[in-house]
Amino acid sequence: MQEFIYYNPKGLDFPVSEEILVSTNLDEIKEESFLISNSSEVDAEVSADEIDFYIKNTKDSMAVQIENVYKLYEIAANKYDFAQDISYSQEVSKQLLLVANDKEDYERFVACIKPDDFELFFVQENIIKSIEGHIGNLTVVVDDEGKDVTLNVSQIVWYDAKQEGIKQSGCFDPKESSEEEVISQLKENINSYSYKKFTTYDKTICQYNERREVICSKCEEVCPSVAITKDDTTKVLTFSQIDCHGCGGCISVCPSGALDYAPSNRDSMFEMSSFFADTHPLITPQKMNIKDLEIELKEGVLPYAIEGEKFLDETAFLTLAQISGSQLVFYTDFISKGSGDAIRIVNDIYQKKYGKDAIIVAMDEEELKAALEEVTFIENSHFNFNQEGLKKREIFSHRLQKLVGEDDLGEVQTGEHIHYGLVKVNEDKCTLCLVCVGACNVDALQADARDNTLRINPSLCTSCGYCEVSCPESDCLEIERDVIKLQPMWFKENILAQDELFACVECGKEFATKKSVEKIASMMGPIFASDPVKERSLYCCADCKPKIMMQNYYDQKKQGMANAR
């Protein structure tokens, strides 16, 4: 397989890198396969529409065009190499369920198909009790005169589909398009349905997984299908890749970065961003279909093609903005809940620091024209570092810390779908039991044995509240939610509580904090007041406590035997 090919019957008006094969005749290359092509007419792993879009519309000089065309091939190739969106296939049979309440809908659909196209079942909507499974393996339970009957089908056609149908893979509503389009899609799916893995999941930093209380399940809330489901009894998330639309909305609302977008994961975004240094990035989701778009790209504008549009979070936006040193133009007709919050947060930060937005959103061609005229470099905003292997919050923290520097820029509010916060502790009530540290899976809370302190790095906190519900003391720990303080202290470990270690009254070994020993003693002291040894045991380490208790037992037994004589 060769890597890069540029195909156009009219050829190119300027030379390109010798690593790009230029062809004007499909017959000459029909036996060959390539990695990256500018055209879907060529047999290639990736067809990069952004290449012709750039060539057709750019105002860059000839020398810069030559450099950027090769750069776009490299970007597409690197994105392909980093992608983790493995492809799978699902067998789909001819078994089809038609759901229609209107007789005319039923007759119109049946008239559009041939008898041998499908093995057709028909039910009315009001008898459907449940739908489970996925395309190729759907189980539909219907009420047949009081008895549950199970239908096993591969696909469903549902006129005016209800929510349980809309969210299900393999369910199609002709009212959303047409009978002809739906039938064509049904036939295409039979025996050749493929799907991709769009998400990866790290349960160790998930704010929902196996926690005693439901603290977070944002990904499940925003999922438009049944690709993400949760069990509030076991506190486990289940992911169905075949049901996933690949929109990425779950990624942008995941507070810890437990979810990542397989086609363009965090490491890929970082690697791709390096190609956009000293350019004006124009982010173009695949659905925007820029191939035939004619719009002037002023000097320095370079398209960045992405698959989904909803996965971009505050870390992705800040990474690309800092590495490019420029404002970003985001051309999309839809903003997801998470991406919307992320754009506002990063823009609020940039306004406080630079007096300009970091991201300019364009939702149609007119807005895109205006954005491309407006976009500019932001002086002193460039910053980069090796973020490979770091978690989402760690990356954002480090980048934001560089932006803030030693300034006090006030604070910004986060929002409904992206949360940051500041843990506060009543030191008088804190016994340094460290339950909160164990509850925090993003390492925002830490214990330092060198000085017996409980510490917080606010910039890592997801404001999930699990430390708050886990703390055994009343009115001891609280969280100031939905705020980022743009001050140096926000990125440093702050001491929340500190205590001295208590030395065992028997052996002198330090075994607990002074406050914890005093707390237990205050609770148990009145109960043990009549027994000096038991009372003393409250101030002993785990080794000495049983020793003095056993010694007291033998002493009492010996004394009893002496008295008996």
Side-chain angles (χ1 to χ4, degrees):
M1 179 185 294
Q2 295 189 54
E3 287 211 328
F4 306 150
I5 181 169
Y6 182 84
Y7 165 71
N8 191 322
K10 298 178 181 180
L12 260 177
D13 294 334
F14 58 90
V16 293
S17 168
E18 60 183 17
E19 296 186 44
I20 303 172
L21 175 64
V22 177
S23 175
T24 59
N25 189 337
L26 280 177
D27 290 335
E28 292 178 352
I29 55 174
K30 64 182 180 180
E31 301 298 327
E32 300 181 59
S33 59
F34 300 87
L35 180 62
I36 310 296
S37 170
N38 66 306
S39 171
S40 58
E41 296 181 65
V42 177
D43 180 16
E45 294 293 328
V46 177
S47 294
D49 290 341
E50 62 272 20
I51 295 171
D52 276 337
F53 168 70
Y54 171 78
I55 292 172
K56 180 173 62 176
N57 295 293
T58 185
K59 295 301 178 182
D60 282 332
S61 67
M62 186 70 69
V64 174
Q65 284 189 54
I66 294 169
E67 179 184 342
N68 280 346
V69 166
Y70 183 64
K71 187 183 288 187
L72 289 171
Y73 276 95
E74 284 191 301
I75 291 169
N78 276 271
K79 189 164 55 176
Y80 176 82
D81 289 341
F82 271 91
Q84 298 177 347
D85 52 342
I86 303 168
S87 293
Y88 302 91
S89 62
Q90 170 67 42
E91 183 178 345
V92 177
S93 71
K94 290 186 175 183
Q95 293 173 317
L96 174 67
L97 176 65
L98 175 60
V99 182
N101 287 334
D102 192 325
K103 184 179 178 181
E104 290 183 1
D105 289 335
Y106 168 78
E107 292 176 346
R108 189 166 58 253
F109 182 82
V110 171
C112 292
I113 62 175
K114 298 177 181 178
D116 60 346
D117 282 344
F118 307 102
E119 183 181 341
L120 190 64
F121 301 87
F122 168 68
V123 298
Q124 291 189 323
E125 179 185 286
N126 60 346
I127 69 169
I128 295 176
K129 297 184 70 174
S130 67
I131 302 174
E132 294 182 351
H134 52 74
I135 185 170
N137 187 22
L138 291 163
T139 300
V140 183
V141 177
V142 299
D143 183 351
D144 183 13
E145 298 181 349
K147 294 182 179 180
D148 286 353
V149 175
T150 300
L151 301 176
N152 295 309
V153 297
S154 278
Q155 300 183 91
I156 299 171
V157 172
W158 189 339
Y159 282 85
D160 294 314
K162 295 294 185 290
Q163 189 65 21
E164 59 266 37
I166 294 171
K167 298 184 73 171
Q168 197 75 49
S169 66
C171 184
F172 305 91
D173 184 353
K175 294 289 183 71
E176 295 295 319
S177 53
S178 68
E179 280 81 5
E180 290 74 16
E181 287 186 40
V182 167
I183 291 168
S184 175
Q185 184 64 60
L186 294 170
K187 290 180 178 180
E188 186 178 330
N189 291 340
I190 293 174
N191 296 324
S192 62
Y193 185 80
S194 62
Y195 63 97
K196 287 183 176 182
K197 174 183 177 181
F198 281 104
T199 58
T200 59
Y201 175 56
D202 179 1
K203 66 180 181 181
T204 64
I205 57 173
C206 176
Q207 307 293 44
Y208 176 86
N209 184 64
E210 296 182 348
R211 289 187 154 180
R212 295 191 308 277
E213 296 191 26
V214 176
I215 299 299
C216 175
S217 55
K218 280 290 184 184
C219 57
E220 188 267 348
E221 291 174 21
V222 303
C223 182
S225 69
V226 292
I228 305 176
T229 54
K230 64 174 182 173
D231 186 334
D232 284 341
T233 301
T234 60
K235 307 297 189 299
V236 172
L237 294 172
T238 301
F239 297 87
S240 173
Q241 298 293 345
I242 195 170
D243 290 303
C244 182
H245 295 174
C247 69
C250 57
I251 311 300
S252 57
V253 299
C254 180
S256 63
L259 284 171
D260 206 353
Y261 193 55
S264 297
N265 62 24
R266 207 161 293 117
D267 287 340
S268 174
M269 286 294 295
F270 172 57
E271 189 72 21
M272 297 309 101
S273 295
S274 65
F275 288 100
F276 291 87
D278 301 320
T279 72
H280 304 305
L282 167 57
I283 304 171
T284 60
Q286 190 177 66
K287 69 170 187 173
M288 296 308 289
N289 192 23
I290 61 171
K291 183 178 180 180
D292 299 321
L293 186 62
E294 294 188 11
I295 191 164
E296 183 175 304
L297 303 179
K298 72 179 183 182
E299 290 185 6
V301 174
L302 191 65
Y304 182 13
I306 58 175
E307 187 154 345
E309 74 281 2
K310 300 180 183 179
F311 74 97
L312 295 169
D313 57 27
E314 67 275 22
T315 300
F317 283 123
L318 186 57
T319 297
L320 185 55
Q322 286 191 326
I323 293 179
S324 68
S326 169
Q327 293 175 300
L328 315 177
V329 176
F330 186 20
Y331 179 46
T332 179
D333 59 4
F334 181 82
I335 300 291
S336 70
K337 294 175 179 178
S339 294
D341 273 1
I343 289 168
R344 182 188 56 77
I345 290 167
V346 176
N347 279 349
D348 285 351
I349 292 168
Y350 263 57
Q351 283 289 348
K352 287 181 177 292
K353 178 70 174 183
Y354 305 111
K356 296 179 180 179
D357 283 343
I359 305 111
I360 306 171
V361 177
M363 303 193 76
D364 57 40
E365 287 190 37
E366 288 304 312
E367 290 185 3
L368 180 57
K369 289 177 182 178
L372 290 172
E373 291 176 5
E374 177 186 348
V375 67
T376 185
F377 292 107
I378 299 179
E379 189 175 357
N380 299 321
S381 67
H382 174 78
F383 172 62
N384 200 10
F385 73 103
N386 184 8
Q387 63 186 50
E388 187 177 351
L390 295 181
K391 300 171 186 174
K392 170 184 174 179
R393 289 279 166 142
E394 294 170 335
I395 297 168
F396 189 72
S397 169
H398 196 70
R399 290 194 170 279
L400 189 55
Q401 182 180 19
K402 177 65 176 180
L403 184 152
V404 172
E406 297 302 317
D407 295 336
D408 183 347
L409 303 175
E411 62 182 45
V412 296
Q413 299 299 308
T414 53
E416 181 184 355
H417 305 287
I418 295 178
H419 300 285
Y420 285 76
L422 179 62
V423 175
K424 297 179 179 180
V425 167
N426 183 339
E427 192 169 6
D428 292 337
K429 294 190 175 184
C430 178
T431 63
L432 263 70
C433 68
L434 305 184
V435 168
C436 59
V437 175
C440 181
N441 62 4
V442 293
D443 298 328
L445 286 166
Q446 295 282 348
D448 194 330
R450 294 171 298 179
D451 56 1
N452 307 313
T453 54
L454 170 65
R455 296 169 176 258
I456 176 73
N457 183 334
S459 66
L460 301 181
C461 177
T462 65
S463 189
C464 71
Y466 197 49
C467 58
E468 195 172 20
V469 300
S470 300
C471 179
E473 308 298 333
S474 61
D475 302 321
C476 176
L477 188 151
E478 64 177 357
I479 301 173
E480 181 183 353
R481 285 181 163 82
D482 295 330
V483 64
I484 297 175
K485 297 185 185 294
L486 303 176
Q487 304 158 353
M489 56 75 60
W490 188 256
F491 309 96
K492 300 175 182 178
E493 286 189 349
N494 298 283
I495 295 176
L496 295 175
Q498 186 172 20
D499 198 4
E500 301 174 5
L501 291 180
F502 187 88
C504 174
V505 294
E506 285 291 312
C507 69
K509 181 175 70 175
E510 294 177 330
F511 69 96
T513 62
K514 185 178 179 181
K515 286 180 184 176
S516 63
V517 172
E518 289 176 345
K519 179 186 176 182
I520 295 173
S522 67
M523 295 169 57
M524 303 301 295
I527 301 173
F528 292 165
S530 60
D531 189 333
V533 175
K534 285 186 177 180
E535 190 173 24
R536 183 175 177 81
S537 72
L538 296 172
Y539 302 94
C540 292
C541 67
D543 292 329
C544 293
K545 191 185 299 287
K547 289 181 182 178
I548 68 168
M549 294 296 291
M550 290 300 293
Q551 187 62 50
N552 181 52
Y553 170 78
Y554 285 123
D555 289 347
Q556 287 180 345
K557 186 175 182 179
K558 184 176 179 181
Q559 183 63 46
M561 293 175 63
N563 293 338
R565 295 195 191 102

